[in-house]
PDB file of all heavy atoms in Angstrom:
ATOM      1  N   HIS Z 637      10.729 -45.822  -4.869  1.00 94.00           N
ATOM      2  CA  HIS Z 637      11.741 -46.469  -4.041  1.00 94.00           C
ATOM      3  C   HIS Z 637      11.537 -46.084  -2.585  1.00 94.00           C
ATOM      4  O   HIS Z 637      10.723 -45.215  -2.253  1.00 94.00           O
ATOM      5  CB  HIS Z 637      13.157 -46.124  -4.514  1.00 94.00           C
ATOM      6  CG  HIS Z 637      13.600 -44.727  -4.197  1.00 94.00           C
ATOM      7  ND1 HIS Z 637      13.166 -43.624  -4.902  1.00 94.00           N
ATOM      8  CD2 HIS Z 637      14.446 -44.256  -3.244  1.00 94.00           C
ATOM      9  CE1 HIS Z 637      13.732 -42.541  -4.415  1.00 94.00           C
ATOM     10  NE2 HIS Z 637      14.513 -42.898  -3.395  1.00 94.00           N
ATOM     11  N   HIS Z 638      12.301 -46.759  -1.731  1.00 95.00           N
ATOM     12  CA  HIS Z 638      12.236 -46.543  -0.290  1.00 95.00           C
ATOM     13  C   HIS Z 638      13.615 -46.097   0.180  1.00 95.00           C
ATOM     14  O   HIS Z 638      14.626 -46.732  -0.128  1.00 95.00           O
ATOM     15  CB  HIS Z 638      11.811 -47.833   0.424  1.00 95.00           C
ATOM     16  CG  HIS Z 638      11.626 -47.667   1.895  1.00 95.00           C
ATOM     17  ND1 HIS Z 638      10.540 -47.023   2.441  1.00 95.00           N
ATOM     18  CD2 HIS Z 638      12.394 -48.069   2.946  1.00 95.00           C
ATOM     19  CE1 HIS Z 638      10.632 -47.033   3.760  1.00 95.00           C
ATOM     20  NE2 HIS Z 638      11.758 -47.669   4.099  1.00 95.00           N
ATOM     21  N   LEU Z 639      13.655 -44.993   0.917  1.00 94.00           N
ATOM     22  CA  LEU Z 639      14.919 -44.412   1.346  1.00 94.00           C
ATOM     23  C   LEU Z 639      15.013 -44.452   2.868  1.00 94.00           C
ATOM     24  O   LEU Z 639      14.061 -44.106   3.571  1.00 94.00           O
ATOM     25  CB  LEU Z 639      15.014 -42.959   0.857  1.00 94.00           C
ATOM     26  CG  LEU Z 639      16.211 -42.141   1.334  1.00 94.00           C
ATOM     27  CD1 LEU Z 639      17.500 -42.657   0.701  1.00 94.00           C
ATOM     28  CD2 LEU Z 639      16.005 -40.659   0.977  1.00 94.00           C
ATOM     29  N   VAL Z 640      16.161 -44.874   3.378  1.00 94.00           N
ATOM     30  CA  VAL Z 640      16.417 -44.876   4.820  1.00 94.00           C
ATOM     31  C   VAL Z 640      17.509 -43.847   5.116  1.00 94.00           C
ATOM     32  O   VAL Z 640      18.620 -43.935   4.576  1.00 94.00           O
ATOM     33  CB  VAL Z 640      16.847 -46.266   5.325  1.00 94.00           C
ATOM     34  CG1 VAL Z 640      17.175 -46.203   6.820  1.00 94.00           C
ATOM     35  CG2 VAL Z 640      15.759 -47.293   5.055  1.00 94.00           C
ATOM     36  N   VAL Z 641      17.194 -42.876   5.956  1.00 93.00           N
ATOM     37  CA  VAL Z 641      18.174 -41.869   6.390  1.00 93.00           C
ATOM     38  C   VAL Z 641      18.711 -42.310   7.747  1.00 93.00           C
ATOM     39  O   VAL Z 641      17.950 -42.403   8.719  1.00 93.00           O
ATOM     40  CB  VAL Z 641      17.528 -40.472   6.496  1.00 93.00           C
ATOM     41  CG1 VAL Z 641      18.545 -39.459   7.004  1.00 93.00           C
ATOM     42  CG2 VAL Z 641      16.970 -40.044   5.139  1.00 93.00           C
ATOM     43  N   PRO Z 642      20.005 -42.588   7.869  1.00 91.00           N
ATOM     44  CA  PRO Z 642      20.551 -43.116   9.129  1.00 91.00           C
ATOM     45  C   PRO Z 642      20.535 -42.077  10.253  1.00 91.00           C
ATOM     46  O   PRO Z 642      20.583 -40.868  10.008  1.00 91.00           O
ATOM     47  CB  PRO Z 642      21.996 -43.494   8.756  1.00 91.00           C
ATOM     48  CG  PRO Z 642      22.034 -43.508   7.269  1.00 91.00           C
ATOM     49  CD  PRO Z 642      21.004 -42.533   6.804  1.00 91.00           C
ATOM     50  N   GLU Z 643      20.494 -42.580  11.466  1.00 92.00           N
ATOM     51  CA  GLU Z 643      20.608 -41.727  12.650  1.00 92.00           C
ATOM     52  C   GLU Z 643      22.026 -41.167  12.733  1.00 92.00           C
ATOM     53  O   GLU Z 643      23.008 -41.833  12.384  1.00 92.00           O
ATOM     54  CB  GLU Z 643      20.300 -42.560  13.902  1.00 92.00           C
ATOM     55  CG  GLU Z 643      20.341 -41.778  15.211  1.00 92.00           C
ATOM     56  CD  GLU Z 643      18.995 -41.183  15.562  1.00 92.00           C
ATOM     57  OE1 GLU Z 643      17.998 -41.531  14.895  1.00 92.00           O
ATOM     58  OE2 GLU Z 643      18.932 -40.384  16.502  1.00 92.00           O
ATOM     59  N   ASN Z 644      22.143 -39.890  13.206  1.00 89.00           N
ATOM     60  CA  ASN Z 644      23.444 -39.258  13.475  1.00 89.00           C
ATOM     61  C   ASN Z 644      24.338 -39.156  12.241  1.00 89.00           C
ATOM     62  O   ASN Z 644      25.562 -39.246  12.352  1.00 89.00           O
ATOM     63  CB  ASN Z 644      24.209 -40.005  14.578  1.00 89.00           C
ATOM     64  CG  ASN Z 644      23.656 -39.710  15.956  1.00 89.00           C
ATOM     65  OD1 ASN Z 644      23.027 -38.665  16.151  1.00 89.00           O
ATOM     66  ND2 ASN Z 644      23.855 -40.607  16.896  1.00 89.00           N
ATOM     67  N   SER Z 645      23.740 -38.989  11.082  1.00 89.00           N
ATOM     68  CA  SER Z 645      24.546 -38.807   9.873  1.00 89.00           C
ATOM     69  C   SER Z 645      24.426 -37.356   9.398  1.00 89.00           C
ATOM     70  O   SER Z 645      23.518 -36.627   9.779  1.00 89.00           O
ATOM     71  CB  SER Z 645      24.087 -39.756   8.774  1.00 89.00           C
ATOM     72  OG  SER Z 645      22.747 -39.490   8.402  1.00 89.00           O
ATOM     73  N   LYS Z 646      25.370 -36.940   8.572  1.00 91.00           N
ATOM     74  CA  LYS Z 646      25.352 -35.600   7.989  1.00 91.00           C
ATOM     75  C   LYS Z 646      25.337 -35.720   6.467  1.00 91.00           C
ATOM     76  O   LYS Z 646      25.511 -36.795   5.912  1.00 91.00           O
ATOM     77  CB  LYS Z 646      26.566 -34.792   8.443  1.00 91.00           C
ATOM     78  CG  LYS Z 646      26.551 -34.382   9.914  1.00 91.00           C
ATOM     79  CD  LYS Z 646      27.726 -33.461  10.242  1.00 91.00           C
ATOM     80  CE  LYS Z 646      27.695 -33.017  11.691  1.00 91.00           C
ATOM     81  NZ  LYS Z 646      28.818 -32.096  12.027  1.00 91.00           N
ATOM     82  N   GLY Z 647      25.170 -34.600   5.809  1.00 91.00           N
ATOM     83  CA  GLY Z 647      25.181 -34.578   4.350  1.00 91.00           C
ATOM     84  C   GLY Z 647      23.801 -34.664   3.727  1.00 91.00           C
ATOM     85  O   GLY Z 647      23.675 -34.712   2.503  1.00 91.00           O
ATOM     86  N   TRP Z 648      22.754 -34.673   4.578  1.00 94.00           N
ATOM     87  CA  TRP Z 648      21.394 -34.775   4.058  1.00 94.00           C
ATOM     88  C   TRP Z 648      20.729 -33.389   4.019  1.00 94.00           C
ATOM     89  O   TRP Z 648      20.980 -32.545   4.872  1.00 94.00           O
ATOM     90  CB  TRP Z 648      20.556 -35.715   4.921  1.00 94.00           C
ATOM     91  CG  TRP Z 648      21.041 -37.128   4.846  1.00 94.00           C
ATOM     92  CD1 TRP Z 648      21.944 -37.735   5.656  1.00 94.00           C
ATOM     93  CD2 TRP Z 648      20.654 -38.091   3.872  1.00 94.00           C
ATOM     94  NE1 TRP Z 648      22.161 -39.031   5.275  1.00 94.00           N
ATOM     95  CE2 TRP Z 648      21.379 -39.282   4.172  1.00 94.00           C
ATOM     96  CE3 TRP Z 648      19.781 -38.085   2.778  1.00 94.00           C
ATOM     97  CZ2 TRP Z 648      21.242 -40.441   3.411  1.00 94.00           C
ATOM     98  CZ3 TRP Z 648      19.649 -39.244   2.036  1.00 94.00           C
ATOM     99  CH2 TRP Z 648      20.369 -40.403   2.347  1.00 94.00           C
ATOM    100  N   SER Z 649      19.878 -33.209   3.028  1.00 95.00           N
ATOM    101  CA  SER Z 649      19.133 -31.953   2.902  1.00 95.00           C
ATOM    102  C   SER Z 649      17.798 -32.245   2.240  1.00 95.00           C
ATOM    103  O   SER Z 649      17.612 -33.302   1.626  1.00 95.00           O
ATOM    104  CB  SER Z 649      19.906 -30.935   2.055  1.00 95.00           C
ATOM    105  OG  SER Z 649      19.992 -31.386   0.703  1.00 95.00           O
TER     106      SER Z 649
END
Side-chain angles (χ1 to χ4, degrees):
H637 73 284
H638 184 74
L639 174 69
V640 177
V641 178
E643 182 90 10
N644 284 336
S645 62
K646 290 186 178 181
W648 294 91
S649 67

